[in-house]
Amino acid sequence: MAIIGATAMGSSFFQSLGVGDKIWNNGPLDTQIQWFQNLLPSVCGSSCKTYLSKSLFVLGELGGNDYNAQLFGGYTPEQAAGQSPTIVDAIGAGAEKLIGLGAMYVVIPGVLPVGCFPIYLTLYQTSNAGDYDQYGCLKRFNALSARHNSLLQSKVTSLQGKYPYAKIMYADFYSHVFDMVKSPASYGFSTNLRACCGAGGGKYNYQNGARCGMSGASACGNPSSSLSWDGIHLTEAAYKKIADGWVNGPYCHPAILS
């Protein structure tokens, strides 16, 4: 039931913050779950509890677009972090709804180290070296992600205690991708902070007006050698490694197949 550009929060939340115009769809988590509930009778009839107890649910990643709306609407990372408890609570509530429907295996991913992504590195580029860590990532934006993930891990721990009969897993998106940024060669990447697909603009190959798929943009010759696909999303090669880290460990707690 995933929706492109989806958020954890509904439109009223963003309107209350004055950034409603930054949300270009209406696909919050509770809407996705409602659609899922509406579809269930045609999928599993009267035996949905049993059916869902044998299914794997991946809840997100959610939260990233909630912060994007605020940041692109003029909020600082520190201001956006003030909304983290509310966003994390919404994700937790969504997980509880699925468990109530019969879900027994739920993966809840954290958010990514966006301070290492070409879109943020381009839009918020500064001349102050102190704004960057030793790997070239924007520290304040990664701190926002880390704040969210810390709260989300606590939420997952709470849910694990509340529903001991279910396997609720925290998927550590942040640490795995940050490891790829720190040591790209060990993962088979020759570039880590530069988008594969773009119009050749600037240090990070990202331009808002010439994004991948737009006129003037083209893909690099070997996408599998890049961590970032279009400056916003990762490459298929990166996601393959991430999937393995979730299925077999060590970047999912507990691992899906443990």
Side-chain angles (χ1 to χ4, degrees), residues 67 70-71 75-87 140 143-145 147-148 151:
Y67 297 117
Q70 297 176 68
L71 296 168
Y75 280 67
T76 66
E78 294 76 19
Q79 289 171 327
Q83 302 300 327
S84 294
T86 301
I87 294 168
R140 294 171 66 203
L144 169 59
S145 294
R147 154 86 167 157
H148 171 96
L151 293 174

Side-chain angles (χ1 to χ4, degrees), residues 8 25 56-57 88-89 99 107 123 127 130 148 166 168 203 245:
N25 67 14
L56 176 67
F57 291 82
V88 167
D89 282 348
I99 294 167
V107 177
L123 297 180
S127 58
H148 171 96
I168 305 170
K203 181 178 180 181

Side-chain angles (χ1 to χ4, degrees), residues 8 39 51 81 88 100 121 126 136 139 161 164 170 176 189 199 209-210 217-219 225 231 245 256:
L39 182 68
Y51 188 88
V88 167
L121 289 166
T126 82
K139 292 189 290 188
Y170 173 74
H176 201 175
F189 301 126
S218 61
S225 68
I256 293 171

Side-chain angles (χ1 to χ4, degrees), residues 13-96:
F13 170 80
F14 300 103
Q15 290 168 1
S16 73
L17 297 178
V19 295
D21 61 319
K22 303 303 177 186
I23 297 298
W24 48 272
N25 67 14
N26 186 27
L29 177 57
D30 58 357
T31 296
Q32 295 180 46
I33 293 176
Q34 184 58 59
W35 287 359
F36 179 63
Q37 289 182 265
N38 294 344
L39 182 68
L40 276 181
S42 66
V43 174
C44 47
S46 59
S47 58
C48 286
K49 282 269 188 181
T50 300
Y51 188 88
L52 297 183
S53 71
K54 301 176 181 178
S55 303
L56 176 67
F57 291 82
V58 180
L59 194 63
E61 171 263 347
L62 287 158
N65 289 318
D66 297 83
Y67 297 117
N68 287 342
Q70 297 176 68
L71 296 168
F72 298 155
Y75 280 67
T76 66
E78 294 76 19
Q79 289 171 327
Q83 302 300 327
S84 294
T86 301
I87 294 168
V88 167
D89 282 348
I91 296 170
E96 292 200 78

Side-chain angles (χ1 to χ4, degrees), residues 16 34 89 110 115 119 149 169 171 176 206 209 215 217 255 257:
S16 73
Q34 184 58 59
D89 282 348
I119 180 174
N149 290 339
M169 298 154 272
H176 201 175
Y206 181 85
S215 177
L257 291 184

